[in-house]
PDB file of all heavy atoms in Angstrom:
ATOM      1  N   ILE A1481     136.343  35.626 105.813  1.00  0.00           N
ATOM      2  CA  ILE A1481     136.579  35.482 107.248  1.00  0.00           C
ATOM      3  C   ILE A1481     135.458  36.085 108.087  1.00  0.00           C
ATOM      4  O   ILE A1481     135.577  36.186 109.301  1.00  0.00           O
ATOM      5  CB  ILE A1481     137.921  36.125 107.659  1.00  0.00           C
ATOM      6  CG1 ILE A1481     137.890  37.636 107.413  1.00  0.00           C
ATOM      7  CG2 ILE A1481     139.066  35.471 106.932  1.00  0.00           C
ATOM      8  CD1 ILE A1481     139.080  38.381 107.984  1.00  0.00           C
ATOM      9  N   ARG A1482     134.360  36.475 107.459  1.00  0.00           N
ATOM     10  CA  ARG A1482     133.267  37.114 108.202  1.00  0.00           C
ATOM     11  C   ARG A1482     132.003  36.261 108.107  1.00  0.00           C
ATOM     12  O   ARG A1482     131.627  35.807 107.038  1.00  0.00           O
ATOM     13  CB  ARG A1482     133.011  38.533 107.665  1.00  0.00           C
ATOM     14  CG  ARG A1482     134.186  39.472 107.904  1.00  0.00           C
ATOM     15  CD  ARG A1482     133.878  40.889 107.422  1.00  0.00           C
ATOM     16  NE  ARG A1482     135.027  41.758 107.575  1.00  0.00           N
ATOM     17  CZ  ARG A1482     135.310  42.444 108.681  1.00  0.00           C
ATOM     18  NH1 ARG A1482     134.492  42.357 109.718  1.00  0.00           N
ATOM     19  NH2 ARG A1482     136.367  43.217 108.749  1.00  0.00           N
ATOM     20  N   TYR A1483     131.365  36.094 109.242  1.00  0.00           N
ATOM     21  CA  TYR A1483     130.189  35.237 109.343  1.00  0.00           C
ATOM     22  C   TYR A1483     129.032  36.005 109.971  1.00  0.00           C
ATOM     23  O   TYR A1483     129.232  36.890 110.806  1.00  0.00           O
ATOM     24  CB  TYR A1483     130.481  34.014 110.210  1.00  0.00           C
ATOM     25  CG  TYR A1483     131.581  33.122 109.696  1.00  0.00           C
ATOM     26  CD1 TYR A1483     132.918  33.408 109.966  1.00  0.00           C
ATOM     27  CD2 TYR A1483     131.290  31.996 108.932  1.00  0.00           C
ATOM     28  CE1 TYR A1483     133.935  32.588 109.490  1.00  0.00           C
ATOM     29  CE2 TYR A1483     132.294  31.165 108.457  1.00  0.00           C
ATOM     30  CZ  TYR A1483     133.620  31.476 108.741  1.00  0.00           C
ATOM     31  OH  TYR A1483     134.608  30.662 108.268  1.00  0.00           O
ATOM     32  N   THR A1484     127.819  35.639 109.553  1.00  0.00           N
ATOM     33  CA  THR A1484     126.608  36.136 110.200  1.00  0.00           C
ATOM     34  C   THR A1484     125.880  34.951 110.819  1.00  0.00           C
ATOM     35  O   THR A1484     125.647  33.935 110.155  1.00  0.00           O
ATOM     36  CB  THR A1484     125.681  36.847 109.195  1.00  0.00           C
ATOM     37  OG1 THR A1484     126.345  38.000 108.673  1.00  0.00           O
ATOM     38  CG2 THR A1484     124.397  37.292 109.886  1.00  0.00           C
ATOM     39  N   ILE A1485     125.556  35.087 112.105  1.00  0.00           N
ATOM     40  CA  ILE A1485     124.900  34.012 112.852  1.00  0.00           C
ATOM     41  C   ILE A1485     123.497  34.475 113.222  1.00  0.00           C
ATOM     42  O   ILE A1485     123.329  35.405 114.012  1.00  0.00           O
ATOM     43  CB  ILE A1485     125.691  33.669 114.128  1.00  0.00           C
ATOM     44  CG1 ILE A1485     127.152  33.352 113.780  1.00  0.00           C
ATOM     45  CG2 ILE A1485     125.038  32.513 114.873  1.00  0.00           C
ATOM     46  CD1 ILE A1485     128.089  33.414 114.970  1.00  0.00           C
ATOM     47  N   ASN A1486     122.484  33.854 112.637  1.00  0.00           N
ATOM     48  CA  ASN A1486     121.094  34.137 112.988  1.00  0.00           C
ATOM     49  C   ASN A1486     120.607  33.053 113.947  1.00  0.00           C
ATOM     50  O   ASN A1486     120.825  31.858 113.702  1.00  0.00           O
ATOM     51  CB  ASN A1486     120.216  34.154 111.731  1.00  0.00           C
ATOM     52  CG  ASN A1486     120.526  35.338 110.838  1.00  0.00           C
ATOM     53  OD1 ASN A1486     120.088  36.452 111.091  1.00  0.00           O
ATOM     54  ND2 ASN A1486     121.299  35.098 109.786  1.00  0.00           N
ATOM     55  N   PHE A1487     119.948  33.450 115.009  1.00  0.00           N
ATOM     56  CA  PHE A1487     119.603  32.470 116.033  1.00  0.00           C
ATOM     57  C   PHE A1487     118.275  32.802 116.704  1.00  0.00           C
ATOM     58  O   PHE A1487     117.782  33.933 116.656  1.00  0.00           O
ATOM     59  CB  PHE A1487     120.704  32.408 117.098  1.00  0.00           C
ATOM     60  CG  PHE A1487     120.863  33.696 117.859  1.00  0.00           C
ATOM     61  CD1 PHE A1487     120.171  33.929 119.031  1.00  0.00           C
ATOM     62  CD2 PHE A1487     121.702  34.692 117.381  1.00  0.00           C
ATOM     63  CE1 PHE A1487     120.292  35.125 119.717  1.00  0.00           C
ATOM     64  CE2 PHE A1487     121.842  35.899 118.060  1.00  0.00           C
ATOM     65  CZ  PHE A1487     121.130  36.108 119.237  1.00  0.00           C
ATOM     66  N   ASP A1488     117.720  31.792 117.344  1.00  0.00           N
ATOM     67  CA  ASP A1488     116.481  31.923 118.109  1.00  0.00           C
ATOM     68  C   ASP A1488     116.570  30.899 119.242  1.00  0.00           C
ATOM     69  O   ASP A1488     116.680  29.701 118.993  1.00  0.00           O
ATOM     70  CB  ASP A1488     115.264  31.640 117.214  1.00  0.00           C
ATOM     71  CG  ASP A1488     113.942  31.710 117.956  1.00  0.00           C
ATOM     72  OD1 ASP A1488     113.936  32.057 119.157  1.00  0.00           O
ATOM     73  OD2 ASP A1488     112.906  31.416 117.332  1.00  0.00           O
ATOM     74  N   GLY A1489     116.542  31.377 120.481  1.00  0.00           N
ATOM     75  CA  GLY A1489     116.661  30.476 121.617  1.00  0.00           C
ATOM     76  C   GLY A1489     115.834  30.943 122.797  1.00  0.00           C
ATOM     77  O   GLY A1489     115.512  32.127 122.918  1.00  0.00           O
ATOM     78  N   SER A1490     115.470  30.012 123.660  1.00  0.00           N
ATOM     79  CA  SER A1490     114.655  30.368 124.821  1.00  0.00           C
ATOM     80  C   SER A1490     114.949  29.423 125.978  1.00  0.00           C
ATOM     81  O   SER A1490     115.625  28.403 125.820  1.00  0.00           O
ATOM     82  CB  SER A1490     113.161  30.320 124.470  1.00  0.00           C
ATOM     83  OG  SER A1490     112.746  28.983 124.243  1.00  0.00           O
ATOM     84  N   ILE A1491     114.441  29.793 127.140  1.00  0.00           N
ATOM     85  CA  ILE A1491     114.469  28.939 128.331  1.00  0.00           C
ATOM     86  C   ILE A1491     113.018  28.771 128.760  1.00  0.00           C
ATOM     87  O   ILE A1491     112.315  29.773 128.956  1.00  0.00           O
ATOM     88  CB  ILE A1491     115.302  29.569 129.454  1.00  0.00           C
ATOM     89  CG1 ILE A1491     116.750  29.769 128.996  1.00  0.00           C
ATOM     90  CG2 ILE A1491     115.258  28.700 130.714  1.00  0.00           C
ATOM     91  CD1 ILE A1491     117.633  30.465 130.012  1.00  0.00           C
ATOM     92  N   PRO A1492     112.524  27.545 128.887  1.00  0.00           N
ATOM     93  CA  PRO A1492     111.107  27.358 129.233  1.00  0.00           C
ATOM     94  C   PRO A1492     110.706  28.069 130.523  1.00  0.00           C
ATOM     95  O   PRO A1492     109.641  28.684 130.592  1.00  0.00           O
ATOM     96  CB  PRO A1492     110.972  25.840 129.372  1.00  0.00           C
ATOM     97  CG  PRO A1492     112.064  25.283 128.511  1.00  0.00           C
ATOM     98  CD  PRO A1492     113.202  26.250 128.634  1.00  0.00           C
ATOM     99  N   LEU A1493     111.571  28.000 131.525  1.00  0.00           N
ATOM    100  CA  LEU A1493     111.234  28.609 132.817  1.00  0.00           C
ATOM    101  C   LEU A1493     112.513  28.877 133.594  1.00  0.00           C
ATOM    102  O   LEU A1493     113.393  28.018 133.692  1.00  0.00           O
ATOM    103  CB  LEU A1493     110.338  27.666 133.633  1.00  0.00           C
ATOM    104  CG  LEU A1493     109.969  28.132 135.043  1.00  0.00           C
ATOM    105  CD1 LEU A1493     108.979  29.297 134.980  1.00  0.00           C
ATOM    106  CD2 LEU A1493     109.388  26.983 135.865  1.00  0.00           C
ATOM    107  N   LEU A1494     112.618  30.088 134.137  1.00  0.00           N
ATOM    108  CA  LEU A1494     113.669  30.429 135.090  1.00  0.00           C
ATOM    109  C   LEU A1494     113.019  30.685 136.442  1.00  0.00           C
ATOM    110  O   LEU A1494     111.950  31.297 136.507  1.00  0.00           O
ATOM    111  CB  LEU A1494     114.431  31.686 134.657  1.00  0.00           C
ATOM    112  CG  LEU A1494     115.507  31.542 133.584  1.00  0.00           C
ATOM    113  CD1 LEU A1494     116.066  32.916 133.243  1.00  0.00           C
ATOM    114  CD2 LEU A1494     116.621  30.621 134.046  1.00  0.00           C
ATOM    115  N   GLU A1495     113.670  30.233 137.492  1.00  0.00           N
ATOM    116  CA  GLU A1495     113.117  30.453 138.823  1.00  0.00           C
ATOM    117  C   GLU A1495     114.206  31.005 139.738  1.00  0.00           C
ATOM    118  O   GLU A1495     115.286  30.422 139.851  1.00  0.00           O
ATOM    119  CB  GLU A1495     112.564  29.153 139.397  1.00  0.00           C
ATOM    120  CG  GLU A1495     111.851  29.327 140.727  1.00  0.00           C
ATOM    121  CD  GLU A1495     111.162  28.050 141.174  1.00  0.00           C
ATOM    122  OE1 GLU A1495     110.318  27.535 140.408  1.00  0.00           O
ATOM    123  OE2 GLU A1495     111.486  27.570 142.281  1.00  0.00           O
TER     124      GLU A1495
END
Side-chain angles (χ1 to χ4, degrees):
I1481 64 171
R1482 295 183 184 272
Y1483 299 84
T1484 297
I1485 306 163
N1486 291 281
F1487 64 91
D1488 178 4
S1490 69
I1491 299 176
L1493 177 71
L1494 280 176
E1495 186 173 303

